[in-house]
Amino acid sequence: VIKNFNKVRLGINISKAYMLDTDVIQLVPEISYYPLGNTKLYFTLRNTSNKSGDNDIENQVFGKMGLKIFSKTWLEGFYAYGKTQFLACDNGYILYNNPDYLISRGGVTISQYFKNNMQIILSYQLENKEQFNSEDLYSHHFVMVGFNIKL
C-alpha cells in the first residue's frame, strides 16, 4: 500500500513466504522524500522486520538515494544494516534464502533509459555475511548488468 503526499511517499508492505522449510513473515514500512518536488532527487528509508520460524524478530534498516544525472540517466546508491537470515526485498525481485546471515549490504547502480521502453543497468553490490554454522564473516562482491524492455 502506497500513499503519495506533496513531497513525501509513505508505504507499507506485508508478505509471507516459505524459504528453506521455514515460514517467513515480513513487515516493511517505508518513507520516501522528494526535496525538489519531483523525481530528480529522492531519499528512501525503510525498515524490514521479519519473523522466520522460531527465530526472534530480525530488523534491517535500508537507506537509498537516487539522482537524475542526465535526462534519461539515473545514479542510485544504497546501504542496509541489520543481521537477518531470510529477506525478500525490492518487491520480491531479490530473495536472500540461504542459511547464512546477511549483516550489511550496499551498492551503486547506474541506469540508462531509452525512448523505446528499454533500460540498461550496471550495478555493483557488496554484501557482508556471517556463515551459518561457524559465525565466520565473509564478503560477497558482485556486478550485475541488466537489460529491461517493456512490451
Side-chain angles (χ1 to χ4, degrees):
V1 177
I2 295 174
K3 177 67 176 166
N4 290 311
F5 297 96
N6 186 23
K7 293 183 178 184
V8 175
R9 183 181 76 183
L10 300 175
I12 190 161
N13 180 338
I14 300 170
S15 63
K16 182 175 184 195
Y18 191 69
M19 297 184 212
L20 292 179
D21 298 328
T22 304
D23 282 317
V24 179
I25 298 172
Q26 190 167 277
L27 175 68
V28 185
E30 175 180 301
I31 184 168
S32 294
Y33 175 60
Y34 303 88
L36 304 176
N38 57 36
T39 58
K40 292 182 180 179
L41 175 67
Y42 69 89
F43 301 93
T44 297
L45 183 63
R46 151 185 339 140
N47 182 69
T48 301
S49 298
N50 76 31
K51 174 82 172 111
S52 58
D54 295 331
N55 294 338
D56 292 336
I57 293 175
E58 300 168 335
N59 289 290
Q60 186 178 81
V61 177
F62 173 93
K64 182 178 186 178
M65 185 192 95
L67 175 65
K68 190 175 190 177
I69 55 177
F70 300 111
S71 67
K72 294 188 181 259
T73 307
W74 279 90
L75 180 64
E76 296 175 310
F78 77 91
Y79 182 76
Y81 182 80
K83 185 175 178 179
T84 186
Q85 189 172 29
F86 301 108
L87 181 67
C89 48
D90 296 332
N91 295 321
Y93 288 113
I94 299 174
L95 295 175
Y96 293 92
N97 62 351
N98 66 31
D100 292 348
Y101 287 95
L102 183 62
I103 306 298
S104 65
R105 59 192 178 98
V108 63
T109 299
I110 190 163
S111 301
Q112 177 65 48
Y113 294 86
F114 298 94
K115 291 180 185 177
N116 53 358
N117 293 325
M118 290 191 312
Q119 175 189 16
I120 295 176
I121 302 164
L122 177 61
S123 181
Y124 166 77
Q125 292 188 25
L126 166 65
E127 299 170 347
N128 294 307
K129 297 183 176 185
E130 178 183 294
Q131 198 165 353
F132 175 64
N133 290 330
S134 68
E135 298 183 1
D136 289 338
L137 300 177
Y138 69 96
S139 295
H140 178 221
H141 302 263
F142 66 93
V143 173
M144 178 182 74
V145 177
F147 180 75
N148 290 331
I149 186 167
K150 291 182 183 178
L151 302 176

